[in-house]
Amino acid sequence: MRILKVQTLRGPNYWSIRRHQLVAMQLDLQELAEKPSNEIPGFYKGLVEALPSLEGHFCSPGCRGGFLMRLREGTMMGHVVEHVALELQELAGMPAGFGRTRETATAGVYHVVFEYENEKAGRYAARAAVRLCQSILDLGYYPQSELERDLQDLKALHQDAALGSSTEAIIQAAEARDIPWMQLGARYLIQLGYGKRQKRIQATLSGNTGLLGVELASDKEATKYILSNAGVPVPRGTAIDYFDELEDAIASVGGYPIVIKPLDGNHGRGITLDIQTWEAAEAAYDAAKAVSRSIIVERYYQGRDHRVVVVDGKVVAVAERIPAHVVGDGRSTIEELIEIINQDPDRGDGHDNILTRIQLDRNSDRLLAQQGYSLDSILDRDEICYLRATANLSTGGIACDRTDEIHPENIWLAQRVAKIIGLDIAGIDIVTPDISRPLREVGGVVVEVNAAPGFRMHTHPSQGKPRDVAGAVINMLFPPGKSSRVPILAVTGTNGKTTTTRLLAHIVKQTGKTVGYTTTDGTYIGDCLVDRGDNTGPQSARLILQDPTVDVAVLEAARGGILRSGLGFNACDLGIILNVAADHLGIGDINTVEQLAHLKSVVAETVFPHGYAILNADDPLVAAMAKRVKAQIAYFSLNPNNPIVREHTRHGGLAAVHEDGYLSILQGEIKLRLEQAVNVPLTMGGRANFAIANALAASLAAFTQRIPLGQIKAGLQTFQPSASQTPGRMNLFELGDYHALVDYAHNPHSYEALGSFVRNWQGERIGVIGGPGDRRDEDFITLGKLAAEMFDFIIVKEDDDTRGRPRGDAADLIEKGIRQANSDCHYESILAETRAINTALDMASRGSLVVVLPESVSRAIRLIESRKSG
């Protein structure tokens, strides 16, 4: 077997609308191309011995053991690799259940598609699955050591990509509200929502969190000073910088017992509690100094440690934190009890699990000695030995939910503290003997206020009810009823995508909103070009959706981007499907127009149910997509009597048609005339039918977005098919005695559409034609035939980039088509595009039209405009 290609899809795609995260691998089975699994001696036995858990895979039989049943009966190796890749991820703690395996047009080469949770791990699983199966084929087994290494590597990749338990909790809460999110790739920032409606978080800091509040909370002494002045009970304490200040500091807080901690520490690092002697104070000073330049000396208050989380001015969770400890069973040593606890699957390293494994250090040794124990001590049954003085979960502590027990006065106090410090999300540490009684009655104190508090102890308490603290954050950022999305209007089709995208964006701009849009010539925000190039894939869509100034996104979606990575958004408010025609066939294993239609339909199928899919009723492949769409349907047609449109509007449906020279909206029986086609510059005086179709689609899309008719009309009237507004799309130049037209027609469908305009030209018609080198031979022959019907004289040129074809090969095929269609047609070949264009312009006669179909639109426009200025 040989892996030919591995791609990762990150949005709705050809294989699935709902499953966005997929690995798509092309696998050449080579000698196994015609050998199913039941014909491979020992393979079933070797695979089941390596991965006995494959028994849990249902597969097509729909029952447990279904895949193994298929394996015994005989299935192709690509299908086996799919299931192995899924199972490897499952065993590494990344459950994934979706998979598809299909043979490509090349015999023996398969698409192996499966779900992933982590992208790098998914790609690793693809290679590991092939390696595992190949080993069983070659050796009859897969070494256990290799399997363990694979699983360790997968777990490491999973852990490296983990966002942290608090961040993941917020993301899950966002997903529950159908709020989109994306990683911004810097400083662990997460964007929630799109465009102007986005919010950002970093762990549990939000974009609303004030810098002053964070700075104040980070300075524990300043926090205590501010709270004390506000009448909040806080520990007596003082900050010092030097060891010779320690003795006076202890005296100033009333003597022992004391607490020594770093001024700007966190996660319990460098803190020593319940210090009773000078010797212990010296050691504690050194521990705190290792973390912070300044340290705090405080009076030690007896009581239980509580964390109170306040979000948006409201207490949402309370947990009692209990330091890491063991409970005796009467026979095990403390060391053995620690080992037993650390075997709990809920405990991991750092923050990668619900709880943290207990790790001992010098402070632990000191605490054991204070309690009269060593690691070899055997505790009596139910006897408790504490291993840490602080109760942080990060040092092995546990949490017990006390949200329902906190006294109302303590709730009021905590909420007041958060506002005094100035935090929208605050973790307030309270030491009190009884959280159910007011602090003032029991001598409780507010010890610290934390910005960016961890949520793990509240979402996964060791005891008690989990609390939806993350949901409270989401409700703060996006109050119920407030949208997290900007409208996404997506455009696809074989031809006309860029023009329609630009026209729709232009119409939306009439409303005064900031429009971000992507096209084959660049990404734009408002009137400014942000990134030049063919930007019709998911990366360009993300650029628009990440921009905080964008009100509306109009996104062109091309076949290449959908195939390579999927769409750049999980759902849209509107999807336009202009047409489906033969183009790029034979590339990416899309070999028929029906397959191409299936690919394009991804855009229509991702439209929200309350949104609209705008479909071309004149294109049978597009009109048929209505059966697969969950959104509302609206049709456009050049024929007002199109039966699909008539039936649709008879039932109150929405459509746009070209009737009696007008672009009109049909809303049931109501007809709303927008503008005469001759007054719409894009339509070239009403002569370019394909441009009329594009204008209908854009106008209908704007109407569904409740843009007033007057603004739609204004957009149609002011949108010019110029080199500046629609480069390479029907750009007509007046050059004195003759005209030149630049258009990026490059496939039979676009040639046919262009011909409807060119054939109406009154004068000589000269064509400079070619096509991308990665098209099929028959496509070039068809281009030649169509050109012979359009032009009086043809110059055949080739692109600078022949895309793997020998120089002159594409031109020969086009010439063959010209001769087949019209043996008397005048033509010549000038392969260099610049020379071909200049030759055509030199030979232009009075009243003639030179049509240039270039590889480089900008170069062609420069050559033509230089003639104009001369």
Side-chain angles (χ1 to χ4, degrees):
M1 291 184 288
R2 184 165 66 98
I3 297 174
L4 303 180
K5 184 194 303 183
V6 178
Q7 294 175 305
T8 44
L9 308 178
R10 307 176 189 93
N13 55 78
Y14 182 74
W15 301 99
S16 176
I17 300 300
R18 293 186 303 108
R19 312 279 186 157
H20 299 168
Q21 298 190 153
L22 299 177
V23 170
M25 173 171 58
Q26 274 195 13
L27 183 64
D28 186 351
L29 298 188
Q30 296 179 316
E31 72 279 359
L32 300 171
E34 298 182 5
K35 187 176 288 188
S37 56
N38 62 331
E39 296 182 10
I40 304 173
F43 184 79
Y44 178 89
K45 178 176 180 292
L47 184 61
V48 172
E49 286 179 352
L51 294 173
S53 50
L54 285 171
E55 172 67 28
H57 288 219
F58 281 44
C59 201
S60 55
C63 60
R64 182 177 173 82
F67 169 66
L68 295 185
M69 188 187 307
R70 290 282 308 278
L71 194 65
R72 288 191 298 269
E73 293 171 351
T75 188
M76 300 311 294
M77 194 56 61
H79 183 216
V80 177
V81 168
E82 168 204 323
H83 279 267
V84 170
L86 288 170
E87 186 58 24
L88 289 174
Q89 293 180 91
E90 177 80 33
L91 293 173
M94 294 172 284
F98 176 85
R100 291 284 184 273
T101 300
R102 299 288 185 271
E103 191 170 18
T104 70
T106 304
V109 176
Y110 282 77
H111 290 295
V112 179
V113 180
F114 59 87
E115 196 173 8
Y116 68 82
E117 182 178 306
N118 169 263
E119 185 172 316
K120 289 184 179 179
R123 297 175 73 95
Y124 183 103
R127 296 188 297 271
V130 173
R131 188 168 60 247
L132 184 150
C133 291
Q134 190 65 57
S135 176
I136 296 172
L137 290 166
D138 295 340
L139 306 174
Y141 66 94
Y142 191 57
Q144 182 64 27
S145 60
E146 289 295 318
L147 178 60
E148 290 174 357
R149 176 61 182 271
D150 288 339
L151 297 180
Q152 287 173 1
D153 289 347
L154 285 168
K155 289 175 182 177
L157 290 169
H158 180 43
Q159 185 172 336
D160 288 346
L163 297 171
S165 58
S166 298
T167 304
E168 289 180 350
I170 294 174
I171 288 172
Q172 289 171 9
E175 290 176 341
R177 282 265 311 267
D178 198 27
I179 294 171
W181 65 276
M182 62 181 81
Q183 293 179 255
L184 296 183
R187 299 184 67 84
Y188 303 101
L189 284 172
I190 301 293
Q191 176 180 316
L192 304 168
Y194 288 149
K196 189 171 274 188
R197 293 174 177 165
Q198 68 178 266
K199 301 291 183 180
R200 292 176 181 175
I201 62 168
Q202 183 188 64
T204 59
L205 291 174
S206 82
N208 298 344
T209 304
L211 176 61
L212 289 179
V214 175
E215 290 292 322
L216 183 55
S218 298
D219 187 335
K220 302 184 190 308
E221 191 67 11
T223 296
K224 190 170 63 174
Y225 179 81
I226 293 288
L227 293 180
S228 177
N229 285 346
V232 176
V234 296
R236 292 171 58 189
T238 186
I240 63 174
D241 294 317
Y242 304 103
F243 178 74
D244 58 13
E245 300 174 286
L246 180 58
E247 190 170 0
D248 289 341
I250 294 172
S252 73
V253 301
Y256 303 109
I258 61 169
V259 176
I260 293 180
K261 57 186 178 181
L263 179 66
D264 52 4
N266 53 39
H267 298 300
R269 287 191 288 268
I271 297 177
T272 307
L273 305 179
D274 196 13
I275 300 168
Q276 301 281 355
T277 66
W278 174 252
E279 291 75 15
E282 287 182 307
Y285 175 90
D286 292 337
K289 265 293 188 177
V291 176
S292 173
R293 199 176 86 174
S294 300
I295 70 167
I296 295 174
V297 179
E298 286 181 346
R299 182 75 179 172
Y300 177 66
Y301 291 81
Q302 296 287 347
R304 297 180 339 211
D305 186 344
H306 298 81
R307 166 63 62 83
V308 181
V309 172
V310 177
V311 177
D312 198 23
K314 299 180 180 64
V315 168
V316 295
V318 182
E320 178 186 350
R321 298 182 296 182
I322 301 173
H325 65 279
V326 292
V327 180
D329 59 8
R331 61 179 183 276
S332 303
T333 67
I334 291 175
E335 187 171 26
E336 290 169 339
L337 291 171
I338 293 171
E339 181 61 29
I340 292 169
I341 286 176
N342 283 341
Q343 289 175 3
D344 183 346
D346 285 340
R347 289 190 182 267
D349 295 321
H351 293 276
D352 66 349
N353 215 328
I354 297 171
L355 295 171
T356 302
R357 291 189 181 93
I358 298 173
Q359 302 287 340
L360 302 182
D361 59 14
R362 287 187 305 172
N363 290 328
S364 305
D365 296 338
R366 188 181 303 115
L367 188 59
L368 281 172
Q370 288 176 359
Q371 298 171 86
Y373 300 126
S374 70
L375 289 176
D376 295 329
S377 300
I378 296 176
L379 302 178
D380 293 336
R381 181 172 294 279
D382 298 328
E383 184 179 1
I384 297 176
C385 172
Y386 288 96
L387 304 167
R388 289 280 183 173
T390 57
N392 298 73
L393 266 64
S394 58
T395 57
I398 64 172
C400 304
D401 179 66
R402 304 291 186 217
T403 308
D404 294 331
E405 301 172 27
I406 186 171
H407 191 276
E409 185 175 309
N410 294 340
I411 292 176
W412 170 82
L413 182 65
Q415 292 173 171
R416 181 168 171 256
V417 165
K419 290 180 180 179
I420 290 170
I421 301 303
L423 292 173
D424 59 335
I425 304 171
I428 300 168
D429 291 343
I430 294 175
V431 172
T432 178
D434 188 352
I435 196 69
S436 68
R437 297 175 61 190
L439 298 192
R440 59 183 173 79
E441 291 184 1
V442 294
V445 289
V446 174
V447 177
E448 287 184 15
V449 180
N450 299 274
F455 286 174
R456 183 171 55 152
M457 71 183 76
H458 308 291
T459 58
H460 296 86
S462 309
Q463 298 174 22
K465 180 180 177 181
R467 301 293 170 171
D468 186 17
V469 284
V473 173
I474 292 298
N475 288 335
M476 175 185 70
L477 299 176
F478 303 99
K482 180 179 179 181
S483 177
S484 63
R485 300 172 182 264
V486 296
I488 297 176
L489 317 180
V491 182
T492 194
T494 300
N495 295 303
K497 298 186 295 297
T498 294
T499 299
T500 305
T501 297
R502 282 181 165 274
L503 174 57
L504 180 54
H506 181 73
I507 293 173
V508 176
K509 287 180 191 176
Q510 308 307 304
T511 66
K513 294 179 178 178
T514 299
V515 183
Y517 57 103
T518 61
T519 70
T520 52
D521 51 72
T523 298
Y524 298 80
I525 295 176
D527 295 322
C528 297
L529 174 65
V530 176
D531 184 28
R532 188 181 302 279
D534 187 350
N535 297 338
T536 56
Q539 186 173 353
S540 303
R542 282 171 61 93
L543 186 155
I544 295 297
L545 298 175
Q546 287 176 2
D547 192 280
T549 68
V550 168
D551 291 303
V552 180
V554 182
L555 306 176
E556 180 179 341
R559 68 181 293 287
I562 302 174
L563 274 177
R564 285 191 303 272
S565 302
L567 290 177
F569 45 88
N570 59 4
C572 57
D573 299 87
L574 178 137
I576 299 176
I577 316 295
L578 293 169
N579 42 61
V580 178
D583 189 25
H584 296 90
L585 296 184
I587 302 173
D589 206 47
I590 301 297
N591 300 299
T592 67
V593 288
E594 289 75 19
Q595 289 175 323
L596 186 59
H598 175 70
L599 178 66
K600 300 286 187 184
S601 74
V602 169
V603 171
E605 292 180 65
T606 57
V607 180
F608 287 115
H610 64 265
Y612 274 93
I614 309 293
L615 305 180
N616 184 349
D618 298 333
D619 188 321
L621 288 171
V622 175
M625 294 178 190
K627 300 174 184 176
R628 305 178 61 174
V629 172
K630 295 179 181 178
Q632 302 177 83
I633 303 292
Y635 292 103
F636 66 94
S637 173
L638 293 172
N639 175 14
N641 295 313
N642 182 295
I644 294 175
V645 170
R646 294 185 65 180
E647 180 66 14
H648 184 64
T649 55
R650 190 171 69 84
H651 289 90
L654 190 62
V657 296
H658 183 220
E659 50 85 33
D660 294 336
Y662 279 88
L663 276 66
S664 300
I665 300 289
L666 304 180
Q667 196 170 21
E669 298 298 321
I670 301 172
K671 180 188 296 182
L672 304 170
R673 282 184 166 175
L674 291 173
E675 182 57 277
Q676 287 184 289
V678 294
N679 295 330
V680 178
L682 179 66
T683 70
M684 310 295 285
R687 291 173 292 178
N689 282 339
F690 64 91
I692 294 175
N694 294 341
L696 287 171
S699 300
L700 183 57
F703 185 80
T704 67
Q705 300 305 298
R706 302 185 179 182
I707 295 177
L709 292 179
Q711 292 177 337
I712 297 175
K713 183 175 180 178
L716 291 172
Q717 292 173 337
T718 57
F719 185 77
Q720 299 289 336
S722 62
S724 60
Q725 199 150 33
T726 57
R729 273 74 185 176
M730 294 295 288
N731 303 148
L732 188 62
F733 300 84
E734 184 179 349
L735 299 175
D737 293 338
Y738 67 99
H739 286 75
L741 178 73
V742 176
D743 191 81
Y744 189 60
H746 59 280
N747 56 54
H749 184 266
S750 57
Y751 268 51
E752 289 172 353
L754 180 65
S756 66
F757 172 79
V758 173
R759 281 190 288 268
N760 291 326
W761 189 265
Q762 301 301 312
E764 184 184 26
R765 296 159 298 177
I766 302 169
V768 180
I769 71 167
D774 56 0
R775 301 313 193 259
R776 302 171 302 175
D777 289 0
E778 56 263 40
D779 294 332
F780 287 109
I781 293 172
T782 301
L783 295 182
K785 290 178 178 179
L786 293 171
E789 297 171 358
M790 258 192 283
F791 300 110
D792 301 308
F793 188 85
I794 299 170
I795 297 177
V796 181
K797 56 89 181 177
E798 286 191 343
D799 292 352
D800 296 344
D801 179 5
T802 63
R803 305 192 187 189
R805 277 189 181 270
R807 176 65 65 185
D809 188 56
D812 290 344
L813 291 167
I814 291 174
E815 290 177 11
K816 181 178 179 181
I818 293 171
R819 291 191 296 272
Q820 288 180 3
N822 183 1
S823 59
D824 296 327
C825 183
H826 301 288
Y827 68 89
E828 67 173 306
S829 286
I830 302 176
L831 299 187
E833 185 168 281
T834 298
R835 182 167 165 249
I837 295 171
N838 282 326
T839 300
L841 295 173
D842 288 340
M843 67 186 298
S845 59
R846 178 182 294 272
S848 65
L849 175 69
V850 177
V851 178
V852 180
L853 309 181
E855 174 192 28
S856 173
V857 170
S858 59
R859 176 172 61 193
I861 291 174
R862 282 197 305 271
L863 290 171
I864 291 169
E865 287 186 330
S866 68
R867 300 283 181 129
K868 186 176 180 181
S869 60

